[in-house]
Amino acid sequence: MGDSFPASDKASNITAGDSRSVIAPRLPAPTGGPNGSAGSFLADAQRALNAGQTGRAQEALERAQTAMLQRSVPATQADMPDQSSDIMQVTAARDALAHRDIPGAKRAIAAAMSAGH
């Protein structure tokens, strides 16, 4: 399977305010590979931000959040959003990234990592 296009290493299309197109660009894969844990994706995001790679950080945050959301719940709770602090911190990191607030994104990633991932 080849890479899809368009491609970008800049974070974008996180919120309506930072979306410039209805087609989100393909983002670079995190260095930890496609099957990492939530914790490894958070560490990838932190390293990417330290290197100024916002697109790679965005992809790592999205993968971390997906890994965190893979859980078993009773059928009666399937439509209830997960409000755990690590999920909320990753959401805060993605929002900070959308607003080009790199220090805020780094703080939220650190908080998510200390919350259990």
Side-chain angles (χ1 to χ4, degrees):
M1 176 188 297
D3 289 336
S4 62
F5 290 93
S8 174
D9 190 36
K10 301 293 181 209
S12 67
N13 290 53
I14 300 171
T15 65
D18 80 325
S19 296
R20 290 159 191 64
S21 170
V22 295
I23 300 171
R26 180 186 53 80
L27 298 170
T31 57
N35 300 316
S37 67
S40 68
F41 288 132
L42 290 172
D44 283 347
Q46 197 74 282
R47 283 190 299 274
L49 288 179
N50 288 336
Q53 300 170 336
T54 59
R56 189 174 307 276
Q58 178 185 347
E59 181 68 16
L61 287 170
E62 290 173 2
R63 290 183 188 204
Q65 198 164 46
T66 298
M68 290 175 187
L69 289 170
Q70 294 178 6
R71 61 194 170 101
S72 296
V73 296
T76 57
Q77 296 177 357
D79 62 342
M80 298 171 120
D82 188 330
Q83 298 294 320
S84 60
S85 71
D86 53 353
I87 296 287
M88 301 306 285
Q89 290 299 329
V90 173
T91 299
R94 291 179 64 219
D95 287 345
L97 201 53
H99 291 95
R100 311 282 190 262
D101 177 8
I102 304 305
K106 288 180 179 181
R107 283 191 302 275
I109 292 167
M113 292 173 83
S114 67
H117 288 282

